[in-house]
Amino acid sequence: MSVPTALDNAYATCRRIAAEHGRTYYLATALLSPQRRRAVHALYAFARMVDDIVDHADDPAWILDPSDRPPARPQALPSSIAPGAHDPDRRLAHGSDGISPAQHLDLVEKQLRLAIEQSDLDTTDLRRRQIITATADTIACYDIAHDHIWTFLDAMRMDVPGTNVHRRRYASMGELGEYMRGSAAAIGLQLLPVLGTVVPVAEAEPAAAALGEAFQVTNFLRDVAEDLDRDRIYLPADELAAFGVDEARLRACRAAEHTDQPTRRALAHLIAVNRDIYRRAVPGIDLLTPRVRPAIRTAAVLYAEILDQIEAADYQVFAVRATVPNHRRIVVAAKGFATRRRHGPRLRTRVR
């Protein structure tokens, strides 16, 4: 048995992050070849690391990598967050010596650029090093356009106070689309070279971007309460206003943990809008390399079924988080495995 290399260990860390935080995506990646699977895990782990920074943007003391802070006088940490306790790279930096979330994103971009351009990384934090190392390797192996990475980071800055692009509200679907082009669509475009296509990549890009946006709108609908707790409202104001819903009504629903009738109607409308995005995106799966199609179809089916769960729960998104039951995940994934096994030899001969 060969000894795992540092790069193998880096990808293994990304796999664990994907398994813990992205259950639907992780299940779907089981249908991919090992090389493609680990590349998707790396891109997911990088996006998750950035998302963690953004989601704690209102706590400037939160950083993932204490070793990257400017030098400061030693300060004792409570035992619950001391080095080695729980997750060592998830410690809070107390006092004014922490870097801001905006600076933290700049630091992540700098570190990834160094890893891509010089195969070097100026961080001593093992988990950060492993995520960025695996991501840089994936970018190089699949010739992923660097612009898709920087566009994603720029979109994440829109969620961070203190940046000149920060925003917490979106007036229209058009405004939200600008955000999603950098966040969700960019992720879809990053994945295209990994998954492979049977047409020129440019022909497959619109559908890949649309599928990323479909997934993200589903997230916004599922996580409306959590986002509101962070003082963010991604659901477009004009779409809500058409049903008599404004921020005050959303906050009242959150306080009561109950979705009132106008808000139900607004959510039903936005679910219909979301399903229309899926309808436009799903045909693009046929533009992908045949062997990866079962995995992407599985992800699309399971993610779209979150909308079914919201409806089944009478739109009570302020009280419960909609999830697809494990038994349903297993059934859909099994169908994907059956499709791959049934057509595997034929599909392999068609990979470009």
Side-chain angles (χ1 to χ4, degrees), residues 39-248:
V40 174
H41 292 164
L43 293 173
Y44 178 91
F46 180 79
R48 179 72 197 193
M49 178 179 68
V50 171
D51 202 45
D52 280 346
I53 296 170
V54 168
D55 281 348
H56 293 87
D58 291 324
D59 181 0
W62 176 278
I63 61 174
L64 293 177
D65 191 349
S67 64
D68 289 325
R69 281 181 287 159
R73 64 181 179 83
Q75 192 165 14
L77 293 174
S79 59
S80 62
I81 55 173
H86 307 298
D87 190 348
D89 60 326
R90 289 279 196 98
R91 301 193 291 273
L92 287 173
H94 294 272
S96 60
D97 56 336
I99 63 176
S100 71
Q103 290 172 318
H104 202 174
L105 286 180
D106 290 343
L107 178 62
V108 166
E109 179 171 339
K110 172 190 170 187
Q111 290 170 335
L112 182 58
R113 286 182 183 273
L114 280 172
I116 291 172
E117 297 166 6
Q118 302 176 23
S119 299
D120 189 21
L121 193 53
D122 61 343
T123 178
T124 59
D125 183 85
L126 178 59
R127 183 172 179 270
R128 169 79 68 83
R129 176 178 289 275
Q130 289 179 324
I131 293 171
I132 292 181
T133 296
T135 301
D137 184 67
T138 293
I139 290 169
C141 287
Y142 290 95
D143 196 25
I144 297 171
H146 297 179
D147 282 350
H148 297 327
I149 308 296
W150 315 140
T151 297
F152 166 69
L153 288 172
D154 285 344
M156 293 301 94
R157 290 181 173 96
M158 294 175 70
D159 283 326
V160 177
T163 65
N164 59 8
V165 292
H166 174 236
R167 67 194 318 167
R168 295 182 186 271
R169 308 287 187 273
Y170 293 86
S172 65
M173 191 62 77
E175 279 193 7
L176 184 62
E178 293 175 14
Y179 171 78
M180 292 194 297
R181 273 190 286 278
S183 54
I187 296 293
L189 298 179
Q190 291 171 28
L191 286 171
L192 263 188
V194 176
L195 300 174
T197 62
V198 294
V199 296
V201 170
E203 290 184 27
E205 285 182 344
L211 189 58
E213 291 180 3
F215 288 159
Q216 189 160 44
V217 173
T218 300
N219 282 340
F220 293 152
L221 288 162
R222 180 194 63 193
D223 299 336
V224 59
E226 180 181 330
D227 290 331
L228 195 59
D229 290 345
R230 294 190 171 112
D231 195 27
R232 298 178 193 156
I233 301 175
Y234 292 103
L235 304 182
D238 62 347
E239 303 281 343
L240 296 174
F243 298 89
V245 177
D246 58 11
E247 181 173 340

